Amino acid sequence: MHPPLLVPSILAGDHARLAESAAAVERLALPWIHLDIMDGHFVPNLTFGPGTVAALRRTSGLFFDVHLMLDEPHRYVQPFARAGANLISIHVEPPGDHAAILARIRELGCQNGIVLNPGTPASAIEPLLGGVNLVLVMTVQPGFGGQSFRGDMLPKISQIVAWRRARGLDFRLEVDGGIDLATAAECRAAGADTFVAGTSFFGAADPAAFATEFQRMP
Ligand code: DX5
Ligand code: ZN
């Protein structure tokens, strides 16, 4: 299993100071940052696009974990790869040739990931597991930060981790939504290794202390 990785989500930072949020993460020697891309269709909210990611890329050496919440991700994987994404994850819910889009992400030189909403069963991604670098289990309904963690997603995490073990695969198992020190520990116990934290990180009185505390997790 991968060691636990804390991935701050810039959604919860000050959007007038995106570069400063990324720099604060980099100063803590956290290697990844999570960038939420919303289209107003797949989720009822909008964030930012490839132009903003490219601008951030010019200021940051972080690994960009780009979470596409889009109805038509195939139209956007190339622009986000060109903008400097390191990993691009797509949702399984919109219809389309997911395997082809995931392969395309790799051709573009990025790692790839597949994402499931809380209402989507693990079986929906089972056929894709052999071709992904990361599985992202949403632990809230996507669209907004600051929601409560859904403990009923823990069995789904365990199921996917069991498939990973049985097949000798080594994709990361990421969780996103309502993650704090307590809920991260629950997800860790279920087998998650990659922990997106928006509100709990950027809203912490002392994000450095939060990161230190997080890194004590077994
Ligand atoms: C929600 C996003 C999350 C969000 C998590 O749609 O995918 O990445 O930033 O925020 P918190 O950690 O506040 O739940
Ligand atoms: Zn996200």
Side-chain angles (χ1 to χ4, degrees), residues 1-5 154 157-158 161 164 172-175 184 186-195 217-218:
M1 191 156 71
H2 299 274
L5 179 66
L154 293 168
I157 296 168
S158 302
V161 167
R164 177 172 67 182
R172 287 182 170 277
L173 193 305
E174 184 175 57
V175 287
E186 291 181 53
C187 293
R188 182 67 177 164
D193 45 59
T194 307
F195 301 85
M217 189 165 58

Side-chain angles (χ1 to χ4, degrees), residues 7-13 34-38 43 45 67 69 91 115 136 138-149 175-180 196-201:
V7 186
S9 172
I10 211 166
L11 186 68
H34 185 81
L35 305 178
D36 284 308
I37 312 299
M38 306 186 186
V43 290
N45 196 7
H67 174 193
M69 284 160 272
H91 273 259
V115 193
L136 169 48
M138 290 306 303
T139 45
V140 298
Q141 187 63 23
F144 300 92
Q147 304 181 71
S148 295
F149 174 77
V175 287
D176 182 8
I179 298 296
D180 57 22
V196 177
T199 307
S200 62
F201 179 84

Side-chain angles (χ1 to χ4, degrees), residues 1-3 5 32 87 102 106 111-116 122 125-137 156-175 188 190-194:
M1 191 156 71
H2 299 274
L5 179 66
W32 285 31
L87 183 150
L102 291 164
R106 284 201 180 152
Q111 294 185 35
N112 65 19
I114 190 75
V115 193
L116 313 85
I125 59 151
E126 188 184 1
L128 300 167
L129 293 179
V132 296
N133 299 106
L134 176 144
V135 172
L136 169 48
V137 175
K156 191 192 288 189
I157 296 168
S158 302
Q159 171 67 78
I160 296 167
V161 167
W163 286 331
R164 177 172 67 182
R165 194 179 308 116
R167 296 179 199 178
L169 298 170
D170 74 341
F171 55 80
R172 287 182 170 277
L173 193 305
E174 184 175 57
V175 287
R188 182 67 177 164
D193 45 59
T194 307

Side-chain angles (χ1 to χ4, degrees), residues 196-214:
V196 177
T199 307
S200 62
F201 179 84
F202 282 103
D206 183 351
F210 177 86
T212 303
E213 197 58 37
F214 181 90

